[in-house]
Amino acid sequence: MRKINGFIHGGDYNPEQWLDRPDILEEDVRMMKKAGVNCVTLGVFSWSFYEPEEGSFEFDWLKEIVDRLYENGIYFILATPSGARPAWLDAKYPDAMRVNEMGIRNHHGVRHNHCMSSVNYREKIRILDKKLSETFGRHPGFIMFHISNEYGGYCFCDACTKRFRSYLKDKFGGDIETLNRAWWTSFWSHRYNSFEQIEPPFVSGERSVMGLNLEWNRFTTFNTTDFMKEEIKAVREATPDAKVTTNFMCLYGALDYHAMAKELDIISWDSYPRYGNDYESLYETMAETAFSHSMMRSMKKDRPFLLMESAPGLVNWQEYNKLKRPGVHRLACMQAVACGSDSVQYFQWRKGRGSFEQYHGAVVDHLGKDDTRIFKEVMEVSELLKKIEEVTESVVKSKVAILFDWDNRWAIADMKGLSAKTKNYEKTCIDIYKDLLQLGVEADVIPVTEKFSDYDIVFAPMLYMLKPGMADALKAYVRDGGNLVATYLTGYVDDNTLCYLGGFPGDGLGELFGVISEEIDTLYPTDKNGMRFADGSVLEIHDYAEILRVSDAEVLANYTDDFYKDTAALTCKKYGAGSAYYVAARPVRSGRLEVVQKLLEKHGVKTCILPEGIEYHHRVKDGVSYSFYLNSGKEDTRINDVKGYDLVSQTDVSGELSLKPYEVAVIREG
Ligand code: GLA
Ligand code: ZN
């Protein structure tokens, strides 16, 4: 991986679309050099070129290309092509095609539509993956394998059903009564006599058993990860030391990326924010992206991640495919780096002439020139990456964490209650991240199974599900001096989605917070309530309010209205050496920042409210820190108390830093 000094700069390159245009392939190399591209991702969708007919393999076309690239200083990441299958494969092995939630098998076509259980598909890709690693894995230009492309989706076929049953048998110790109890199948007479009776949650079938729906999600992650592991094993047969990644889609709902991440050496993801939309500022769009970057980098905190794909210009699949305004591309690339990426990569190098993505942005478009606005902006990014090259291999270190968990997410989305319109688990996690961002506080976004002791404060928004051992882990964290901030909807269900009896939060967590939630109120958008603090200030709340029984916690704020007026809305209990906060209602944004700031400061986390439009991040390496300041606002903005050397402007800064709109500073702090 460290064959490249400095940042990886490049992206997806599909030369197989241009094999009849050797002039263009030649021109690509010249233009890549001009654009400062030092690495391309090859073979993402090349199966029908590698294996035009079953069992006959052709790699020479790519050998020639990687040799030429390497001679010109361009390295390559090699994808395994399982993301799309050749027509011959589906014709001969229809079981490779996915069955949808109505039980109907897909026809051949499109991509990302495979059955992860198909023995034939697994075998065919195993053979090809092995050959790819034999052929290219020792090439001097080879960097790493990119396993498949954006794994995703569910398959409801017989083979998947069979595997699901065997997964359930393992999970429930082969005892159907254990499963019946865990899934509460006595409800509506839904009990099973045997594992053979269990079906996946077809759209016209069983979708009223929350435990089943949850296990189906878990199984899909298990099965996809298992498939991915087979691909990893195949590429490592010839090159045991080869590094592997797969490209995640950040908040993608159907796969638990925390489970998949364990199998990978490097985390990478594809980022396509809706820049320039008409419902939020650029700062807001970028703040949400920063959450995604933080979650990705938190999956492997000891090393940088890779921005595997991003659009240098526009995309072609959003509701409105708006051009990135001049300067936004550079800013977005710097944001990824600021958040811990050691690469800036694009989808894609060159626009194809036809089919689904013919109008998707690329570094080189149909015009074919190297003096377009986009091309020049890409060149500019390359220059900038060179200037800040010393930042590579540094990492972000945070003292504050936000818990984000896929099981919890699935369980909340599937629970019948509250309001489907306002549950907003993901948004709630992002909102707290945004508050921290605005306060200049770098936050990790971590799974619930992570060690908490590294953090001064852990935010656990809407921690509806408690996994075995979690309540104890949270108690131990606080007892040993940690500070935990939980909210309404904490600890309602166990990891099978069965409600705890005796009060929420369950599993003994009531003792940690000194409160029990007796009821939860779902507010209509026009309902008004608030939480009043001792100093008389009021923070408006919306969406949800729990009514608490307080046993032994300090009440920090009470409700201002309704029949639960003057009862506790925010509490804190000292527990061992730490504090456990319980925020019983959802505060609106306005006014929340000050409350969060006070809380952070109280527990020793330094904050400062950053000027509007300014985003701040921080990377460290060998005792040297790099502070990134990004201005996504519309105004020239000054930031105080900045000291160090700005790698971008190549000047010393002492005191005040001034940034024009879309400008970036990377300050080395000694
Ligand atoms: C995804 C895919 C790419 C391409 C882009 C388009 O990220 O991985 O192959 O389709 O989307 O935005
Ligand atoms: Zn299947």
Side-chain angles (χ1 to χ4, degrees):
M1 156 102 194
R2 275 290 139 207
K3 285 178 176 171
I4 292 179
N5 286 324
F7 290 93
I8 291 179
H9 183 223
D12 279 23
Y13 179 40
N14 305 303
E16 67 275 12
Q17 294 176 17
W18 301 97
L19 292 180
D20 60 347
R21 289 294 305 268
D23 55 321
I24 284 188
L25 295 177
E26 285 281 340
E27 179 69 346
D28 278 337
V29 176
R30 183 193 69 77
M31 290 173 90
M32 280 178 193
K33 284 166 76 174
K34 183 162 181 191
V37 163
N38 58 15
C39 180
V40 290
T41 307
L42 293 165
V44 183
F45 297 109
S46 303
W47 196 334
S48 68
F49 285 82
Y50 292 141
E51 194 178 3
E53 283 176 54
E54 184 173 10
S56 78
F57 296 94
E58 291 180 13
F59 300 115
D60 287 350
W61 62 274
L62 190 62
K63 273 193 213 156
E64 214 178 281
I65 288 166
V66 294
D67 285 347
R68 185 166 50 227
L69 289 169
Y70 183 64
E71 279 159 23
N72 285 280
I74 301 163
Y75 291 76
F76 65 99
I77 293 172
L78 188 62
T80 64
S82 56
R85 300 174 310 281
W88 62 256
L89 195 148
D90 286 351
K92 181 153 177 203
Y93 306 106
D95 58 294
M97 293 181 284
R98 184 167 290 177
V99 168
N100 69 19
E101 57 180 9
M102 290 181 298
I104 300 166
R105 193 172 293 280
N106 286 353
H107 292 274
H108 170 74
V110 209
R111 61 174 179 174
H112 300 161
N113 55 2
H114 17 250
C115 168
M116 294 293 173
S117 304
S118 160
V119 175
N120 290 312
Y121 172 44
R122 284 186 179 223
E123 177 58 6
K124 289 292 147 195
I125 193 66
R126 188 191 66 76
I127 295 168
L128 181 51
D129 284 352
K130 183 164 175 267
K131 284 189 185 296
L132 283 172
S133 70
E134 285 163 357
T135 314
F136 298 104
R138 302 220 176 275
H139 192 281
F142 169 80
I143 303 275
M144 71 172 121
F145 286 109
H146 169 308
I147 307 295
S148 201
N149 189 67
E150 297 188 338
Y151 280 119
Y154 304 85
C155 177
F156 290 73
C157 77
D158 290 346
C160 286
T161 302
K162 222 166 141 203
R163 275 173 82 82
F164 182 43
R165 288 174 186 153
S166 110
Y167 160 91
L168 292 173
K169 261 185 216 158
D170 276 359
K171 167 127 198 184
F172 294 99
D175 179 21
I176 196 68
E177 288 313 329
T178 308
L179 176 144
N180 277 321
R181 277 192 299 275
W183 288 4
W184 206 254
T185 57
S186 48
F187 175 77
W188 285 350
S189 214
H190 284 195
R191 48 182 304 281
Y192 299 100
N193 301 94
S194 81
F195 287 90
E196 307 319 308
Q197 291 169 349
I198 300 173
E199 289 191 328
F202 284 104
V203 76
S204 54
E206 181 62 279
R207 288 201 163 180
S208 60
V209 175
M210 275 55 239
L212 165 69
N213 297 341
L214 177 68
E215 283 310 339
W216 178 242
N217 277 318
R218 286 179 175 152
F219 164 75
T220 298
T221 293
F222 158 80
N223 207 23
T224 306
T225 309
D226 186 62
F227 184 98
M228 182 178 81
K229 278 159 76 176
E230 279 198 14
E231 286 212 71
I232 294 173
K233 196 167 149 218
V235 296
R236 286 210 173 123
E237 270 186 49
T239 49
D241 303 331
K243 298 274 183 274
V244 296
T245 189
T246 190
N247 48 347
F248 287 156
M249 297 173 274
C250 193
L251 285 176
Y252 175 65
L255 289 172
D256 179 350
Y257 284 153
H258 287 133
M260 295 179 76
K262 293 186 189 131
E263 311 301 328
L264 304 169
D265 299 301
I266 292 152
I267 301 301
S268 67
W269 81 285
D270 303 342
S271 173
Y272 295 103
R274 288 166 168 76
Y275 294 115
N277 64 54
D278 62 354
Y279 50 85
E280 64 188 357
S281 66
L282 178 62
Y283 174 84
E284 291 290 325
T285 311
M286 290 190 59
E288 193 163 328
T289 310
F291 174 86
S292 303
H293 286 314
S294 294
M295 178 155 81
M296 291 295 131
R297 73 164 166 71
S298 301
M299 288 184 188
K300 303 231 182 256
K301 285 181 277 188
D302 62 341
R303 63 199 82 165
F305 70 94
L306 301 179
L307 174 64
M308 187 56 82
E309 288 182 28
S310 61
L314 39 59
V315 299
N316 71 334
W317 49 264
Q318 289 169 356
E319 317 83 82
Y320 301 93
N321 296 299
K322 189 166 180 165
L323 295 176
K324 259 184 183 170
R325 272 32 203 169
V328 173
H329 178 58
R330 181 176 178 273
L331 188 67
C333 294
M334 284 305 109
Q335 183 194 35
V337 171
C339 292
S341 173
D342 263 9
S343 81
V344 168
Q345 290 155 279
Y346 311 120
F347 181 87
Q348 53 184 334
W349 167 253
R350 182 185 281 276
K351 263 186 202 177
R353 291 188 64 195
S355 293
F356 201 81
E357 292 183 328
Q358 69 189 132
Y359 297 113
H360 192 292
V363 182
V364 182
D365 70 18
H366 298 134
L367 183 63
K369 301 270 191 223
D370 58 13
D371 61 355
T372 59
R373 177 178 73 92
I374 303 283
F375 197 94
K376 284 194 221 150
E377 291 204 32
V378 167
M379 277 169 60
E380 221 188 296
V381 168
S382 153
E383 288 312 310
L384 199 49
L385 291 175
K386 277 187 207 124
K387 279 190 188 168
I388 64 167
E389 194 171 292
E390 63 176 82
V391 170
T392 52
E393 291 183 270
S394 61
V395 293
V396 176
K397 295 242 184 263
S398 314
K399 298 304 283 174
V400 176
I402 300 167
L403 302 190
F404 183 89
D405 182 67
W406 259 266
D407 285 310
N408 192 50
R409 179 182 188 189
W410 289 328
I412 292 174
D414 198 35
M415 74 178 287
K416 303 296 169 238
L418 308 180
S419 160
K421 287 191 176 154
T422 57
K423 279 183 193 167
N424 292 339
Y425 171 61
E426 297 81 358
K427 184 175 180 303
T428 306
C429 296
I430 293 170
D431 279 350
I432 183 69
Y433 180 88
K434 283 184 176 172
D435 289 348
L436 297 170
L437 192 69
Q438 217 180 324
L439 291 166
V441 174
E442 197 72 83
D444 282 350
V445 181
I446 58 169
V448 295
T449 45
E450 194 102 349
K451 192 167 99 217
F452 306 134
S453 55
D454 293 344
Y455 301 103
D456 293 337
I457 302 189
V458 170
F459 289 88
M462 301 171 75
L463 194 57
Y464 175 66
M465 174 187 289
L466 297 176
K467 296 182 182 177
M470 256 188 72
D472 287 342
L474 291 171
K475 280 186 191 166
Y477 165 67
V478 180
R479 191 183 305 120
D480 296 344
N483 301 292
L484 177 66
V485 184
T487 72
Y488 53 91
L489 213 71
T490 295
Y492 280 42
V493 298
D494 68 11
D495 71 332
N496 288 309
T497 73
L498 286 185
C499 282
Y500 287 108
L501 299 180
F504 308 142
D507 207 15
L509 269 193
E511 180 210 332
L512 172 60
F513 294 103
V515 301
I516 286 293
S517 159
E518 188 171 320
E519 293 186 85
I520 184 161
D521 198 10
T522 300
L523 307 185
Y524 277 86
T526 49
D527 286 335
K528 289 255 178 277
N529 208 332
M531 43 174 90
R532 178 174 286 115
F533 291 82
D535 64 4
S537 62
V538 174
L539 180 56
E540 199 185 319
I541 62 149
H542 63 158
D543 298 343
Y544 300 107
E546 275 181 349
I547 304 171
L548 301 184
R549 293 179 184 215
V550 181
S551 50
D552 58 341
E554 187 189 347
V555 177
L556 302 178
N558 288 308
Y559 289 112
T560 56
D561 285 286
D562 222 315
F563 72 94
Y564 40 94
K565 181 177 174 185
D566 296 334
T567 69
L570 172 60
T571 64
C572 174
K573 178 174 166 180
K574 298 260 172 275
Y575 186 87
S579 301
Y581 292 85
Y582 198 86
V583 189
R586 182 180 284 172
V588 300
R589 192 166 189 189
S590 154
R592 194 176 62 208
L593 197 69
E594 289 71 23
V595 176
V596 175
Q597 184 175 29
K598 268 191 215 148
L599 187 125
L600 292 165
E601 292 279 348
K602 184 167 175 205
H603 296 293
V605 178
K606 275 215 191 109
T607 64
C608 70
I609 297 188
L610 289 166
E612 204 180 318
I614 298 294
E615 191 176 320
Y616 166 79
H617 295 281
H618 196 75
R619 291 178 66 160
V620 291
K621 171 170 86 170
D622 307 331
V624 184
S625 334
Y626 299 95
S627 279
F628 288 73
Y629 297 88
L630 303 117
N631 184 3
S632 56
K634 293 195 172 106
E635 310 291 335
D636 288 11
T637 303
R638 283 197 297 269
I639 305 134
N640 296 325
D641 297 328
V642 180
K643 278 189 194 62
Y645 179 73
D646 180 9
L647 303 179
V648 178
S649 65
Q650 303 183 335
T651 53
D652 284 314
V653 180
S654 176
E656 194 180 88
L657 173 72
S658 183
L659 288 180
K660 293 198 173 51
Y662 303 170
E663 251 189 12
V664 172
V666 182
I667 310 288
R668 188 209 297 129
E669 281 161 352

